């Protein structure tokens, strides 16, 4: 597997369409991509934590997602990454907090 060099940009592009309202995201952090075994195959997974607005404008708490990469490209967002993100080291992700529609 190739290391996903543009992982931050790829995740931002996906979350801009994934989130109901990408504006006003709070408490955004991201972990470096780490090789993990996913469904029996080695993949890079970058973990992301964020608190986004719901469709009614409220915040319901921090969510954890795992961004899985195949051959250096973002493949999908894992909604319940549990073990994949256990022990991840997070750093601030201010770009996510600055997203617009």
């Amino acid at each position: 597997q190739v290391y996903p060099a543009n992982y931050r940009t790829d995740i931002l592009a996906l979350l801009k369409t994934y989130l109901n309202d990408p504006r006003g995201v709070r408490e955004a952090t991201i972990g470096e991509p780490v090789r993990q075994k996913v469904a029996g195959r080695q993949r890079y997974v970058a973990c992301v934590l964020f608190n986004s607005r719901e469709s009614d404008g409220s915040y319901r708490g921090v969510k954890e997602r795992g961004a899985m990469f195949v051959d250096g490209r973002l493949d999908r967002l894992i909604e319940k990454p549990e073990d994949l993100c256990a022990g991840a080291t997070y750093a601030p992700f201010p770009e996510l907090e600055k997203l617009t529609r």
Side-chain angles (χ1 to χ4, degrees), residues 74-90:
L74 182 56
D75 183 65
R76 65 184 162 126
L77 202 59
I78 302 166
E79 291 202 20
K80 295 183 180 179
E82 296 150 357
D83 293 341
L84 294 174
C85 292
T89 302
Y90 291 95

Side-chain angles (χ1 to χ4, degrees), residues 12-64:
L12 285 171
L14 176 69
L15 288 176
K16 187 169 185 167
T17 60
Y18 172 83
L19 298 173
N20 288 330
D21 186 352
R23 300 170 302 151
V25 172
R26 301 176 181 171
E27 303 170 68
T29 59
I30 189 168
E32 291 269 335
V34 176
R35 277 184 81 151
Q36 307 239 15
K37 198 170 228 178
V38 180
R41 301 199 164 167
Q42 289 294 319
R43 303 288 188 228
Y44 275 99
V45 177
C47 297
V48 184
L49 293 170
F50 57 87
N51 190 356
S52 62
R53 288 185 201 196
E54 298 296 326
S55 55
D56 65 0
S58 68
Y59 291 90
R60 301 233 170 85
V62 175
K63 298 173 187 132
E64 183 174 55

